[in-house]
Amino acid sequence: MKIILLGAPGAGKGSQAVKISAEYGLPHIATGDVFRANIAKGTELGKYAQTFIDKGELVPDDVVVKIVADRIKQPDCKNGFLLDGFPRTIAQAQALDQLTEIDLVINIDVRFELIVARISGRRMCECGQTYHISTYDKDTCAKCGKPLYQRKDDTEETVKNRLEVYQKQTAPLIEYYKKKGILVDVDGNRTVQATFDDIKELLK
Ligand code: AP5
């Protein structure tokens, strides 16, 4: 299975990806995580990407496409993978079409009013686990014990711009994949588990 998780910032792509990946053993490829890991390590790629991420802008297509192209060539992706946060522009989707054939695009649909509350209450762990302050009030990760932190691009101003960028550059992908007949909408306005149950039904 080669799957894309599509959705606005804060729609719950990462939360669902962790569950799907655990349930089906699919490698979880999240371009945002790749950039954050590089920022944390202080690499040249990280420094470059940070100039875009901190403003809520997209990292240029050629840089992102190269990362994904290299990653999906790895042996663990032979039987499938789960893309989270890629593609994000029509140009990225077209580049992906040249690389491989996607089986399914899951579009997590969430009302914009919910998104700001979700993002501003998000807490992250280095290990990839994501929490929300409304359902988890500890300062350390339940999985690995490391301290939780808030993403730098989760400020109100940056979130506003991320949502505008999503509307302009990423939302057109819904039509792009609908035309190909491989897009399915999932109602992401409910709990993480209820959304995941729908996805599992779909993947049956
Ligand atoms: P990226 O890391 O991909 O961020 P994003 O798409 O903005 O998405 P988020 O990670 O904010 O949200 P999510 O949908 O994963 O939601 P989550 O599950 O965490 O990208 C960051 C930046 O990197 C971009 O802005 C860009 O600059 C750059 N970049 C990345 N990919 C790129 C690309 N392809 N091209 C160019 N640039 C790129 O959930 C959010 C919160 O809500 C959490 O607290 C969670 O616990 C909670 N939550 C989730 N689901 C539910 C639910 N159902 N009910 C209640 N709470 C929920």
Side-chain angles (χ1 to χ4, degrees):
M1 279 185 294
K2 294 176 183 169
I3 303 174
I4 293 172
L5 277 182
L6 205 61
K13 302 181 295 295
S15 304
Q16 296 303 325
V18 168
K19 283 178 156 304
I20 298 167
S21 173
E23 179 89 13
Y24 298 96
L26 285 175
H28 171 198
I29 304 171
T31 39
D33 289 350
V34 172
F35 293 133
R36 281 185 288 278
N38 276 275
I39 292 169
K41 282 190 215 142
T43 67
E44 284 309 310
L45 171 64
K47 284 179 202 154
Y48 177 69
Q50 189 164 24
T51 60
F52 299 94
I53 293 174
D54 284 357
K55 288 184 282 184
E57 301 291 336
L58 296 183
V59 177
D61 290 334
D62 56 338
V63 176
V64 195
V65 168
K66 179 158 185 344
I67 289 170
V68 174
D70 289 346
R71 180 65 187 89
I72 65 177
K73 274 187 217 140
Q74 299 302 310
D76 64 326
C77 292
K78 211 178 79 194
N79 296 322
F81 49 78
L82 179 63
L83 289 171
D84 159 10
F86 181 93
R88 249 176 157 100
T89 63
I90 296 285
Q92 289 179 20
Q94 287 167 340
L96 183 63
D97 285 344
Q98 302 298 313
L99 295 168
T100 190
E101 193 176 337
I102 295 298
D103 300 304
L104 181 69
V105 180
I106 301 173
N107 179 40
I108 306 179
D109 193 22
V110 177
R111 289 192 306 277
F112 269 33
E113 313 89 82
L114 274 183
I115 281 177
V116 179
R118 280 192 186 177
I119 291 184
S120 56
R122 169 169 44 199
R123 296 295 179 269
M124 309 276 297
C125 179
E126 251 178 45
C127 75
Q129 196 66 29
T130 300
Y131 299 92
H132 194 272
I133 51 168
S134 63
T135 50
Y136 188 81
D137 63 0
K138 299 193 177 60
D139 297 331
T140 52
C141 178
K143 231 170 123 188
C144 72
K146 286 195 181 138
L148 302 183
Y149 65 94
Q150 188 166 21
R151 269 168 52 173
K152 257 178 96 183
D153 61 342
D154 279 353
T155 61
E156 207 179 315
E157 186 67 11
T158 311
V159 169
K160 223 179 112 213
N161 194 36
R162 282 163 64 195
L163 289 173
E164 278 170 21
V165 167
Y166 167 80
Q167 283 292 28
K168 239 186 263 164
Q169 303 197 55
T170 308
L173 289 177
I174 297 174
E175 213 39 54
Y176 181 87
Y177 286 115
K178 251 188 201 160
K179 276 194 190 140
K180 287 182 180 283
I182 55 170
L183 183 130
V184 181
D185 288 310
V186 169
D187 178 4
N189 295 293
R190 299 153 313 137
T191 61
V192 173
Q193 189 57 44
T195 308
F196 181 56
D197 288 342
D198 275 7
I199 292 176
K200 273 202 295 192
E201 270 307 304
L202 194 77
L203 294 178
K204 264 186 196 165

